[in-house]
Amino acid sequence: MTDLVTHVLFAYVELTVLAWRFNWIRRRMVPIGMAGAVLPDLSKIHVVVSSNSVERLIGIPFSWHPFHRVGGLVAVAGCLAVFFERSERWPSFGFLVAGGLSHLFLDVLIKRANGLAPPYLYPVSWWRPPAGNLYLSSDLWPAGVAVASVLALQIWMVYES
Amino acid sequence: MNTSLERLLVVSVLLLALGGMMVHYGAARADHFPYTPTTELHDDTPAQVGATTYFWADVTAVHQDTFEVANVALKTTVLGSTDGLQAGDTVQVYGTVRPGLKIDAERVVVSNQLNRLYMFLISGFAPLIVGLVGWRYWWFDWQTLTIRRRRDRP
């Protein structure tokens, strides 16, 4: 992950720009996509309870990683989508997944010593995409770019209105 | 179908699938991880020498041309550049296992301790931002436990 604020702001910028271009993307779906961008980092629960601890507790192999994979993202998005009013369920599900995918895309670009990103497509595939090696997850500048993009977007929207 | 029952059914099926993936991933990960995992580097076994390894670890000590890392139950000396490296930093190490629990690092990626702290602290604001933006367009109906759109917003 880059920091979570960068993920959320990136989703905000991309969906706001796409909403200008495509009329079917309603502005109300922008925050849903932003929420989706948070979902893969549910895997950070391992900082509190490690996979090994759970494994010892239940006595079978276990990993929190699927939260940070396509399969877990779809499952969690589905769980959340059913809490939306009926007419908004499928669009909400779609934008939650889209936000999560934008998170995974940014994570593919992270520097990896082995040159390969994790198998984000699991359970569809164990394929490891080549890492973008653009930044560290703890670098400050991606957040700077995200904040600058949001500010530029806000100024443009005020100018346009 | 009753909305509550429908939700319960959908959420149960999805959580079951999620749990299944967590167990399957834990069981199958080693088969798809092309490197010697750190959990197998506890003993100085000749069988591991020459194997390629890749892991994340916290730096515990830095010397002239080596540094030590602790990872779960592992304490390993890594041979490689120590420029700018400090105890407490997090490293990704990709390299070859040498005798004496030493890793000959081909590539090391360093994450500064303070930067990582920043990452975790700033990340706490993300749900707040989502909540603030989301509140403009949505509201939560506590009666029916449903997220509803504000009709005056697009």
Side-chain angles (χ1 to χ4, degrees):
Chain A
M1 60 176 271
T2 56
D3 69 83
L4 206 43
V5 168
T6 301
H7 282 299
V8 162
L9 295 183
F10 182 76
Y12 173 80
V13 171
E14 66 180 348
L15 288 175
T16 302
V17 170
L18 286 173
W20 287 342
R21 177 68 181 82
F22 303 105
N23 285 336
W24 57 268
I25 299 180
R26 301 292 178 192
R27 291 296 305 277
R28 64 177 178 274
M29 287 301 156
V30 174
I32 304 303
M34 293 166 72
V38 174
L39 299 182
D41 273 354
L42 287 174
S43 65
K44 288 292 174 286
I45 194 172
H46 77 83
V47 176
V48 184
V49 185
S50 73
S51 298
N52 288 340
S53 306
V54 179
E55 213 166 278
R56 278 193 297 273
L57 189 72
I58 61 178
I60 51 175
F62 183 84
S63 171
W64 291 115
H65 278 117
F67 271 133
H68 210 280
R69 306 290 183 258
V70 165
L73 170 65
V74 169
V76 176
C79 288
L80 293 177
V82 293
F83 287 93
F84 282 83
E85 60 184 288
R86 192 171 291 274
S87 62
E88 302 289 338
R89 276 182 197 168
W90 280 107
S92 300
F93 173 73
F95 280 87
L96 284 168
V97 171
L101 291 177
S102 90
H103 180 127
L104 298 182
F105 170 72
L106 285 185
D107 281 359
V108 168
L109 303 179
I110 286 174
K111 285 180 186 169
R112 313 273 176 185
N114 65 342
L116 296 174
Y120 289 132
L121 294 179
Y122 175 86
V124 179
S125 162
W126 286 92
W127 176 66
R128 292 168 178 267
N133 286 326
L134 281 183
Y135 44 75
L136 286 170
S137 53
S138 55
D139 275 347
L140 306 185
W141 70 262
V145 171
V147 170
S149 303
V150 171
L151 288 176
L153 199 59
Q154 292 295 330
I155 291 169
W156 176 256
M157 286 162 82
V158 169
Y159 176 78
E160 278 293 290
S161 62
Chain B
M1 192 190 299
N2 177 296
T3 304
S4 301
L5 189 65
E6 185 184 7
R7 277 181 189 164
L8 188 68
L9 198 67
V10 172
V11 170
S12 299
V13 169
L14 290 174
L15 288 182
L16 203 64
L18 183 62
M21 280 188 270
M22 287 169 168
V23 171
H24 176 256
Y25 197 98
R29 181 173 182 262
D31 299 336
H32 300 275
F33 189 68
Y35 313 108
T36 302
T38 49
T39 48
E40 291 180 13
L41 293 176
H42 292 179
D43 304 316
D44 189 11
T45 49
Q48 302 296 347
V49 174
T52 303
T53 189
Y54 168 63
F55 56 85
W56 290 63
D58 295 328
V59 176
T60 52
V62 181
H63 311 294
Q64 185 78 31
D65 295 314
T66 63
F67 59 93
E68 292 172 20
V69 296
N71 201 23
V72 197
L74 170 74
K75 187 178 178 187
T76 306
T77 300
V78 180
L79 311 166
S81 172
T82 57
D83 292 346
L85 193 63
Q86 294 177 318
D89 289 346
T90 300
V91 287
Q92 297 177 50
V93 177
Y94 175 74
T96 308
V97 182
R98 299 296 182 211
L101 274 183
K102 290 191 168 87
I103 310 294
D104 195 354
E106 187 178 311
R107 190 160 183 235
V108 177
V109 175
V110 182
S111 299
N112 180 273
Q113 188 180 14
L114 285 178
N115 284 15
R116 286 187 68 79
L117 184 65
Y118 149 81
M119 181 182 75
F120 283 114
L121 288 179
I122 199 79
S123 292
F125 288 100
L128 192 66
I129 296 170
V130 173
L132 285 174
V133 178
W135 195 250
R136 293 179 63 195
Y137 300 96
W138 303 90
W139 63 283
F140 192 72
D141 181 351
W142 289 96
Q143 300 274 314
T144 57
L145 298 179
T146 302
I147 302 167
R148 299 187 186 281
R149 57 178 278 214
R150 295 186 190 278
R151 301 289 162 188
D152 56 334
R153 297 278 182 176

